[in-house]
Amino acid sequence: MPQRYFIDPIDFEIKTISGNDAHHISKVMRMHINDEIIVCSNQECYRCHITDITKDVLFEIDEKLVKKEAFHATLIQGLPKGSKIDTVVKYATIFGVSNIIFVEMNRSISKEKNTDNKLKRLESIAKEAAELAHRFDVPKIEFIKRLKDINYQPFSYVLVADENEKTTHLNHVINHQNIKEHIAIIIGPEGGITDEERNFFKDQKAHFISLGDNILPTEIASLYALSYLSIKNIE
């Protein structure tokens, strides 16, 4: 399978790959003129061949790839501590998330600070993960200060993973008939969600769901839900 690269629309217009991606093509992959690559921009991907390699890499389009219809899920993740945030972005991207929102919750140990620097690093992680997973797009990542600052109106379903919920599971709410709806998945930080937050989510008409009998670490809990959505999307 050809190597995949996501580039800006401006670079796509002039059929040029520059910066780290150009270095990766010429110095790491040691590609040559006429080698095949996949170039993605604006949620579309194209099979291309290299026409020139200098500081930048030039390419020509051979064919547009067919995009399969994907589910639309936004992960609202209680801000985790340390490098767990990198794990969330990498694997949620691989498992098909559309958007990732990090938000401070009552039990968040980490606090929202230096978000500009974090965002650049996380966007790079998401881009690499999207290339690895052969996605057509890279999820949007943002930091929001408070739960009440998030707009819940676009979501058809708001799913809250709650360790106190024992009877309602994902398959009781989401099935092959509503898998194409816009879904929000809410995962608490280390320590889970509080009663105050439960009451807030009830006001948003959220569905409280169990992720099984075992308590999952916050950095991988979303993968349970995303893997379920992936399976339902192809049924």
Side-chain angles (χ1 to χ4, degrees), residues 56-121:
D56 296 332
V57 174
L58 306 184
F59 63 89
E60 288 293 338
I61 296 172
D62 295 323
E63 65 172 331
K64 183 178 180 179
L65 301 184
V66 177
K67 183 178 182 180
K68 296 180 181 178
E69 189 174 2
F71 61 88
H72 194 164
T74 293
L75 171 61
I76 300 174
Q77 171 75 52
L79 201 59
K81 64 180 181 180
S83 62
K84 293 179 181 181
I85 196 170
D86 297 2
T87 302
V88 170
V89 169
K90 178 178 179 179
Y91 290 104
T93 299
I94 290 173
F95 276 75
V97 76
S98 306
N99 306 289
I100 303 174
I101 298 173
F102 289 105
V103 60
E104 279 189 33
M105 297 178 70
N106 290 345
R107 289 177 174 158
S108 290
I109 298 172
S110 181
K111 300 301 178 184
E112 183 185 1
K113 57 183 179 180
N114 300 322
T115 55
D116 288 344
N117 292 334
K118 284 182 182 177
L119 192 57
K120 289 180 181 178
R121 187 185 79 252

Side-chain angles (χ1 to χ4, degrees), residues 76 103-106 144-152 186 197 200-201:
I76 300 174
V103 60
E104 279 189 33
M105 297 178 70
N106 290 345
I144 294 182
K145 183 68 175 177
R146 299 172 297 181
L147 283 171
K148 66 179 183 180
D149 294 333
I150 298 172
N151 179 16
Y152 298 89
I186 299 175
E197 290 165 339
F200 172 80
F201 292 133

Side-chain angles (χ1 to χ4, degrees), residues 75 77 87-88 91-92 95 97 170 185 187 211 216-228:
L75 171 61
Q77 171 75 52
T87 302
V88 170
Y91 290 104
F95 276 75
V97 76
L170 268 170
I185 303 168
I187 305 293
L211 297 184
L216 303 177
T218 184
E219 67 270 28
I220 64 170
S222 65
L223 305 187
Y224 181 104
L226 291 171
S227 60
Y228 172 84

Side-chain angles (χ1 to χ4, degrees), residues 188-207:
E190 298 88 349
I193 61 176
T194 63
D195 287 339
E196 178 187 355
E197 290 165 339
R198 286 186 181 91
N199 290 331
F200 172 80
F201 292 133
K202 287 177 182 177
D203 291 339
Q204 310 307 316
K205 311 300 182 185
H207 298 267

